[in-house]
Amino acid sequence: LMAAVRGHERLDRIRVVALALALGGIAFMVGAPSAASLNPIGVALALVLLAMLGRFVSVDGLGNFTPVGAVALFAGCFLKNRKLALLVPITALVFSDMVLGWHALVPVVYACFALTLWFGTLLAKKLSASRVLGFALLSALNFFVVTNFAVWASSNMYPHTLAGLAQCFWLAVPFFRNDLCGTLIYSALLFGGYALYQARARKFARS
């Protein structure tokens, strides 16, 4: 993992699966098995770690495949302390950007994930698999539209015309696909893992 972070080695699919399972295990085991809910500080730290590592690792052909959107959605849904919830994606982004480098659109990117966190608070009002899917899709779509519009509006990479805007969005479609896949897969892992934890806690309580 450290070799991948330093750029000396790239992660293959087996290592990616191993990393996801390992981090899922960390999040799953935070707190005692008999607890009615997970320790919020422990969950927040595990989520920050997951989001940071997901941005650091490099996988061929999967640019923008990160867990940050899913982490923000999950934090907004389950962390009742809103300040703590907001700190999760922002902390992960700040510390990873200190390594990856800053860019002009940092405020726009951070605002998108703050909005995803708010989507999580709406999801918490009625949690279901279909709503998790819907809000994950909405989060990825929001990131795609807002960040690419900002690229078009704030730079000279594309002509400031409708054709230039269309070109900007069209060339970003592969990154949207990867971001959408990452958000959906990590949302399934996080929300599914939490559902398993709740079932495990209820079973422990009855025994």
Side-chain angles (χ1 to χ4, degrees):
L1 174 60
M2 293 309 300
V5 170
R6 295 189 183 100
H8 301 322
E9 187 175 335
R10 302 187 77 83
L11 293 181
D12 56 26
R13 292 181 181 178
I14 295 177
R15 291 177 181 176
V16 171
V17 171
L19 175 62
L21 291 175
L23 292 176
I26 291 173
F28 187 81
M29 292 304 294
V30 174
S34 59
S37 61
L38 294 172
N39 183 319
I41 301 298
V43 170
L45 291 174
L47 292 174
V48 169
L49 177 64
L50 174 61
M52 288 179 61
L53 291 180
R55 296 191 77 203
F56 283 146
V57 297
S58 178
V59 183
D60 287 324
L62 290 180
N64 272 30
F65 185 94
T66 75
V68 181
V71 161
L73 192 66
F74 186 86
C77 184
F78 288 110
L79 294 178
K80 304 307 179 185
N81 185 322
R82 298 309 180 204
K83 292 181 180 179
L84 178 62
L86 182 60
L87 280 175
V88 169
I90 299 303
T91 300
L93 290 168
V94 168
F95 279 96
S96 55
D97 280 336
M98 289 173 65
V99 176
L100 299 173
W102 306 97
H103 53 85
L105 294 182
V106 161
V108 177
V109 171
Y110 287 26
C112 284
F113 288 120
L115 184 59
T116 297
L117 187 101
W118 180 67
F119 291 157
T121 66
L122 299 180
L123 175 60
K125 295 179 180 179
K126 185 179 179 182
L127 186 60
S128 67
S130 60
R131 281 171 59 82
V132 170
L133 174 62
F135 276 106
L137 289 169
L138 179 61
S139 300
L141 183 61
N142 166 70
F143 186 85
F144 171 70
V145 171
V146 173
T147 56
N148 284 287
F149 183 84
V151 168
W152 172 79
S154 65
S155 73
N156 295 318
M157 294 177 62
Y158 304 95
H160 290 172
T161 62
L162 287 178
L165 180 61
Q167 182 186 22
C168 177
F169 277 98
W170 175 251
L171 293 178
V173 166
F175 297 98
F176 170 62
R177 178 197 62 210
N178 294 341
D179 179 50
L180 176 61
C181 289
T183 302
L184 290 174
I185 290 172
Y186 280 105
S187 291
L189 288 172
L190 289 170
F191 285 91
Y194 187 76
L196 290 174
Y197 179 88
Q198 287 183 314
R200 179 169 172 258
R202 287 193 295 267
K203 182 178 179 180
F204 188 92
R206 289 194 298 268
S207 61

